[in-house]
């Protein structure tokens, strides 16, 4: 499935995206704050595409003007979420390369996935989380209408072999519909 917004195309990741992925995911300011390690090579990025980024409802965030993937956005529906959600609720996750921070691109991508989740998939509620200190991720959630729900004190980041505090936000289909 592919989605289009004003500035973006959201489409499945392809192995040929490995070089672009590596370009942004090798930056230590990007992955670790989101809970995943820095990519170590183009081949490492290719393996991530074949594994993690090939999961259902995971999309490359591609700039329309350059056709280059600059980040990722995805839905984890029901049991696929780390939050143990029922089948009619989804968690959204995202990241974008540092040169594109502060341009409103990820809120644009997240809003499109929210529309898809609520209108097409019939989700009742959407969830999102951010690790303590990740104010950029919090800002995306606020811009998209998510509200604070609870804090998890010790969340295991297995890829980084550490525990972190995670703040969880959510938005109901009703609240989303009213805000549109």
């Amino acid at each position: 499935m592919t989605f289009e917004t004003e500035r973006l195309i959201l489409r499945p990741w392809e192995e040929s995206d490995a070089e672009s992925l590596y370009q942004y995911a090798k930056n230590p300011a990007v992955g670790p704050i989101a809970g995943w390690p820095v990519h170590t090579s183009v081949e490492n990025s290719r393996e991530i595409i074949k594994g993690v980024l090939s999961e259902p409802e995971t999309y490359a965030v591609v700039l329309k003007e350059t056709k280059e993937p600059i980040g990722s956005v995805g839905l984890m529906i029901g049991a696929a979420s780390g939050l143990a959600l029922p089948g009619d609720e989804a968690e959204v996750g995202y990241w974008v390369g540092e040169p594109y921070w502060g341009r409103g691109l990820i809120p644009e991508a997240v809003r499109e996935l929210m529309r898809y989740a609520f209108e097409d998939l019939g989700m009742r509620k959407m969830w999102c989380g951010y690790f303590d200190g990740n104010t950029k991720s919090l800002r995306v959630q606020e811009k998209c209408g998510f509200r604070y729900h609870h804090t998890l004190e010790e969340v295991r980041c297995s890829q980084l072999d550490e525990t972190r505090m995670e703040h969880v936000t959510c938005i109901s289909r009703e609240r989303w519909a009213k805000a549109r």
Side-chain angles (χ1 to χ4, degrees):
M1 183 160 309
T2 300
F3 305 96
E4 281 195 37
T5 67
E6 182 183 338
R7 300 176 290 170
L8 304 170
I9 297 167
L10 309 180
R11 61 151 173 85
W13 283 91
E14 301 164 358
E15 285 186 47
S16 59
D17 296 328
E19 285 189 37
S20 291
L21 174 57
Y22 177 62
Q23 181 65 33
Y24 300 111
K26 70 181 180 182
N27 182 338
V30 175
I33 197 148
W36 46 271
V38 212
H39 289 204
T40 56
S41 66
V42 172
E43 189 51 42
N44 175 225
S45 290
R46 190 176 332 281
E47 291 304 313
I48 300 291
I49 289 170
K50 291 195 283 193
V52 177
L53 297 177
S54 67
E55 289 292 317
E57 305 297 350
T58 302
Y59 303 94
V61 175
V62 178
L63 277 181
K64 276 185 178 178
E65 65 183 64
T66 64
K67 306 293 189 245
E68 178 190 22
I70 58 160
S72 191
V73 64
L75 295 174
M76 294 148 286
I77 298 170
S81 165
L83 298 173
L85 302 177
D88 61 352
E89 297 183 13
E91 178 182 3
V92 64
Y94 49 81
W95 67 268
V96 69
E98 187 175 18
Y100 301 97
W101 290 359
R103 296 187 188 184
L105 295 167
I106 287 299
E108 186 175 321
V110 168
R111 283 187 199 103
E112 178 58 16
L113 277 196
M114 292 171 74
R115 183 209 57 75
Y116 169 63
F118 288 132
E119 289 182 357
D120 300 344
L121 300 178
M123 293 292 118
R124 187 174 60 83
K125 197 178 273 188
M126 287 189 65
W127 299 82
C128 199
Y130 65 95
F131 291 120
D132 202 47
N134 190 347
T135 55
K136 287 174 179 47
S137 188
L138 166 61
R139 188 71 189 115
V140 168
Q141 292 167 46
E142 290 172 342
K143 286 179 180 181
C144 292
F146 286 81
R147 299 269 195 281
Y148 175 80
H149 189 270
H150 66 278
T151 296
L152 300 167
E153 295 287 330
E154 293 193 18
V155 174
R156 184 90 181 116
C157 293
S158 58
Q159 293 183 46
L160 297 174
D161 195 29
E162 61 187 40
T163 350
R164 294 189 182 172
M165 181 181 296
E166 182 178 18
H167 306 286
V168 180
T169 63
C170 72
I171 187 169
S172 66
R173 180 173 44 222
E174 294 75 23
R175 192 165 73 226
W176 169 80
K178 282 181 188 177
R180 288 189 79 200

